[in-house]
Amino acid sequence: MNEREALTMVLRSRELLYAMLSRCFGGEPDEAMIDVLSSTELDQVCAVLDDDKGTLSSLRADIGSEVAERGLEELRREYTVCFVGPQTLVFPWESVYVTGEELVFQPCTLNVRDAYRLEGFEANGESHEPDDHVATEADFLAKLAKRATGEF
């Protein structure tokens, strides 16, 4: 494999991993997500992007075991508890962590929106979800990786 092919493989692997992360953080788990999290394709993506210690592949194996053990209904409940409420445990918006307050649509959110626009990206949930949602940011990275494969 030459250098260009290797780089394209890394970029495509990043695109797939970021797209998968966007899906995982962007909505309640479903059968399609479970299928992706259990796929050999995800194993291959992780192997391409892994470090010398196999950290990503190990994490992927742990997630695969948890998904298989817990099942779809429990994963849906856990997603709701973590991200939906009634008392959200994990805030998926960057602004909450940047400002240190539980507030969204802060100036840093607009900075993220500006960064997207500079790259020709517009968040799908702009009207009802802040642009600095982790799912949107992962989607942005997936699209940048996809675009980069065409630029080499």
Coordinates of all heavy atoms in Angstrom, one line a residue, residues 49-87:
L49 N -7.0 2.8 13.2 CA -6.8 4.1 14.0 C -6.1 3.9 15.3 O -5.8 4.8 16.0 CB -8.1 4.8 14.2 CG -8.9 5.2 13.0 CD1 -10.2 5.8 13.3 CD2 -8.1 6.2 12.2
D50 N -5.9 2.6 15.7 CA -5.4 2.3 17.0 C -3.9 2.7 17.3 O -3.2 2.9 16.3 CB -5.5 0.8 17.2 CG -5.9 0.4 18.6 OD1 -5.8 1.3 19.5 OD2 -6.5 -0.7 18.8
D51 N -3.6 2.9 18.5 CA -2.2 3.2 18.9 C -1.5 1.8 19.1 O -2.0 0.8 18.9 CB -2.2 4.0 20.2 CG -2.8 3.4 21.4 OD1 -3.0 2.1 21.4 OD2 -3.1 4.1 22.4
D52 N -0.2 1.9 19.5 CA 0.6 0.7 19.6 C 0.2 -0.2 20.7 O 0.5 -1.4 20.7 CB 2.1 1.1 19.9 CG 2.7 1.8 18.7 OD1 2.2 1.7 17.6 OD2 3.7 2.6 18.9
K53 N -0.6 0.3 21.7 CA -1.0 -0.5 22.8 C -2.4 -1.1 22.5 O -2.9 -1.9 23.3 CB -1.1 0.4 24.1 CG 0.2 0.9 24.5 CD 0.0 1.9 25.7 CE 1.3 2.5 26.1 NZ 1.1 3.5 27.1
G54 N -3.0 -0.8 21.4 CA -4.3 -1.4 21.1 C -5.5 -0.8 22.0 O -6.5 -1.4 22.2
T55 N -5.3 0.5 22.4 CA -6.2 1.1 23.3 C -7.6 1.2 22.7 O -8.6 0.9 23.3 CB -5.7 2.5 23.7 OG1 -4.4 2.4 24.2 CG2 -6.7 3.1 24.7
L56 N -7.7 1.6 21.5 CA -9.0 1.8 20.8 C -9.7 0.5 20.6 O -10.9 0.3 20.9 CB -8.9 2.6 19.5 CG -10.1 3.0 18.8 CD1 -11.0 3.9 19.6 CD2 -9.8 3.7 17.5
S57 N -9.0 -0.5 20.2 CA -9.6 -1.8 20.0 C -10.0 -2.4 21.3 O -11.1 -3.1 21.3 CB -8.5 -2.8 19.3 OG -8.3 -2.3 18.0
S58 N -9.3 -2.2 22.3 CA -9.7 -2.7 23.7 C -11.0 -2.0 24.1 O -11.9 -2.7 24.6 CB -8.5 -2.5 24.7 OG -8.9 -2.9 25.9
L59 N -11.0 -0.7 23.9 CA -12.2 0.0 24.3 C -13.4 -0.4 23.5 O -14.5 -0.6 24.0 CB -12.0 1.5 24.1 CG -13.2 2.4 24.4 CD1 -13.7 2.3 25.8 CD2 -12.8 3.9 24.0
R60 N -13.2 -0.7 22.2 CA -14.3 -1.1 21.3 C -14.8 -2.5 21.8 O -16.0 -2.8 21.8 CB -13.7 -1.2 19.9 CG -14.8 -1.6 18.8 CD -14.7 -3.1 18.6 NE -15.7 -3.6 17.7 CZ -16.9 -3.9 18.1 NH1 -17.3 -3.8 19.3 NH2 -17.8 -4.5 17.2
A61 N -13.9 -3.4 22.2 CA -14.2 -4.7 22.7 C -15.1 -4.6 24.0 O -16.1 -5.3 24.1 CB -13.0 -5.6 22.9
D62 N -14.7 -3.7 24.8 CA -15.4 -3.4 26.1 C -16.8 -2.9 25.8 O -17.8 -3.4 26.4 CB -14.7 -2.4 27.0 CG -13.4 -3.0 27.6 OD1 -13.2 -4.2 27.5 OD2 -12.6 -2.1 28.1
I63 N -16.9 -2.0 24.8 CA -18.3 -1.5 24.5 C -19.1 -2.6 23.8 O -20.3 -2.7 24.1 CB -18.1 -0.3 23.5 CG1 -17.5 0.9 24.2 CG2 -19.4 0.1 22.8 CD1 -17.1 2.1 23.4
G64 N -18.5 -3.4 23.0 CA -19.2 -4.5 22.4 C -19.8 -5.5 23.4 O -20.9 -5.9 23.3
S65 N -19.0 -5.8 24.4 CA -19.4 -6.7 25.5 C -20.6 -6.0 26.3 O -21.5 -6.7 26.6 CB -18.3 -7.0 26.5 OG -17.2 -7.7 25.8
E66 N -20.5 -4.8 26.6 CA -21.5 -4.1 27.3 C -22.8 -4.1 26.5 O -23.9 -4.3 27.0 CB -21.1 -2.7 27.7 CG -20.1 -2.6 28.8 CD -20.6 -3.0 30.1 OE1 -21.8 -2.7 30.5 OE2 -19.9 -3.7 30.8
V67 N -22.7 -3.8 25.2 CA -23.9 -3.7 24.4 C -24.6 -5.1 24.3 O -25.8 -5.2 24.5 CB -23.5 -3.3 22.9 CG1 -24.6 -3.6 21.9 CG2 -23.2 -1.8 22.9
A68 N -23.8 -6.1 24.2 CA -24.3 -7.5 24.1 C -25.0 -7.9 25.5 O -26.0 -8.5 25.5 CB -23.3 -8.5 23.8
E69 N -24.3 -7.5 26.6 CA -24.8 -7.9 27.9 C -26.1 -7.1 28.3 O -27.0 -7.7 28.8 CB -23.7 -7.6 28.9 CG -24.1 -7.9 30.3 CD -22.9 -7.6 31.3 OE1 -21.8 -8.0 31.0 OE2 -23.2 -7.0 32.3
R70 N -26.1 -5.8 28.0 CA -27.2 -5.0 28.4 C -28.5 -5.1 27.6 O -29.6 -5.1 28.1 CB -26.8 -3.6 28.5 CG -25.8 -3.4 29.6 CD -25.3 -2.0 29.7 NE -24.2 -1.8 30.6 CZ -24.3 -1.5 31.8 NH1 -25.4 -1.2 32.3 NH2 -23.2 -1.4 32.6
G71 N -28.3 -5.2 26.3 CA -29.5 -5.3 25.4 C -30.1 -3.9 25.1 O -29.8 -2.9 25.8
L72 N -30.9 -3.9 24.1 CA -31.4 -2.6 23.5 C -32.2 -1.8 24.5 O -32.0 -0.6 24.7 CB -32.2 -2.9 22.3 CG -32.7 -1.7 21.5 CD1 -31.6 -0.7 21.2 CD2 -33.5 -2.1 20.3
E73 N -33.1 -2.5 25.2 CA -34.0 -1.7 26.1 C -33.2 -1.1 27.3 O -33.5 0.1 27.6 CB -35.1 -2.6 26.7 CG -36.2 -3.0 25.6 CD -36.7 -1.8 24.9 OE1 -37.1 -0.8 25.5 OE2 -36.7 -1.8 23.6
E74 N -32.3 -1.8 27.9 CA -31.5 -1.2 28.9 C -30.6 0.0 28.4 O -30.5 1.0 29.0 CB -30.6 -2.2 29.6 CG -29.9 -1.7 30.8 CD -29.1 -2.7 31.6 OE1 -29.4 -3.9 31.5 OE2 -28.3 -2.2 32.4
L75 N -30.1 -0.2 27.2 CA -29.3 0.9 26.6 C -30.1 2.1 26.3 O -29.7 3.2 26.6 CB -28.6 0.4 25.3 CG -27.5 -0.7 25.4 CD1 -27.1 -1.2 24.1 CD2 -26.4 -0.1 26.2
R76 N -31.4 1.9 25.9 CA -32.3 3.0 25.7 C -32.6 3.7 27.1 O -32.6 5.0 27.1 CB -33.6 2.6 25.1 CG -33.5 2.3 23.6 CD -34.8 1.8 23.1 NE -34.6 1.6 21.6 CZ -35.5 0.9 20.9 NH1 -36.5 0.3 21.4 NH2 -35.3 0.8 19.6
R77 N -32.8 3.0 28.1 CA -33.0 3.6 29.4 C -31.8 4.4 29.9 O -31.9 5.5 30.4 CB -33.4 2.5 30.5 CG -34.8 2.1 30.5 CD -35.2 1.2 31.7 NE -34.4 0.0 31.8 CZ -34.7 -1.1 31.1 NH1 -35.7 -1.2 30.3 NH2 -33.9 -2.2 31.2
E78 N -30.6 3.8 29.7 CA -29.4 4.5 30.1 C -29.2 5.7 29.3 O -28.7 6.8 29.8 CB -28.2 3.5 30.0 CG -28.2 2.5 31.1 CD -27.0 1.6 31.0 OE1 -26.0 1.9 30.4 OE2 -27.1 0.5 31.6
Y79 N -29.4 5.7 28.0 CA -29.3 6.9 27.2 C -30.2 8.0 27.7 O -29.8 9.1 27.9 CB -29.6 6.6 25.7 CG -29.5 7.8 24.8 CD1 -28.3 8.1 24.3 CD2 -30.6 8.7 24.6 CE1 -28.2 9.3 23.5 CE2 -30.5 9.8 23.9 CZ -29.3 10.1 23.3 OH -29.1 11.2 22.5
T80 N -31.5 7.6 28.0 CA -32.4 8.6 28.5 C -32.0 9.2 29.9 O -32.0 10.4 30.1 CB -33.8 8.0 28.7 OG1 -34.2 7.5 27.4 CG2 -34.8 9.0 29.2
V81 N -31.5 8.4 30.8 CA -31.0 8.8 32.1 C -29.8 9.8 31.9 O -29.7 10.8 32.5 CB -30.6 7.7 33.0 CG1 -29.8 8.1 34.2 CG2 -31.9 6.9 33.4
C82 N -28.9 9.4 31.0 CA -27.7 10.2 30.8 C -27.9 11.5 30.1 O -27.4 12.6 30.5 CB -26.6 9.4 30.1 SG -25.9 8.1 31.1
F83 N -28.7 11.5 29.0 CA -28.7 12.6 28.1 C -30.1 13.4 28.0 O -30.1 14.5 27.5 CB -28.4 12.2 26.7 CG -27.0 11.7 26.6 CD1 -26.7 10.3 26.3 CD2 -25.9 12.5 26.7 CE1 -25.4 9.9 26.2 CE2 -24.6 12.1 26.6 CZ -24.4 10.7 26.4
V84 N -31.2 12.7 28.5 CA -32.5 13.3 28.3 C -33.1 13.8 29.6 O -33.6 14.9 29.6 CB -33.4 12.3 27.6 CG1 -34.8 13.0 27.4 CG2 -32.9 11.9 26.2
G85 N -33.0 13.1 30.6 CA -33.5 13.6 31.9 C -34.5 12.6 32.5 O -34.5 11.4 32.1
P86 N -35.2 13.0 33.5 CA -35.5 14.4 33.9 C -34.3 15.1 34.4 O -34.3 16.4 34.4 CB -36.6 14.2 34.9 CG -36.4 12.9 35.5 CD -35.8 12.0 34.4
Q87 N -33.4 14.5 35.0 CA -32.2 15.2 35.5 C -31.0 14.7 34.7 O -30.4 13.7 35.1 CB -32.0 15.0 37.0 CG -33.1 15.6 37.8 CD -32.9 15.4 39.3 OE1 -32.0 14.6 39.7 NE2 -33.6 16.2 40.1

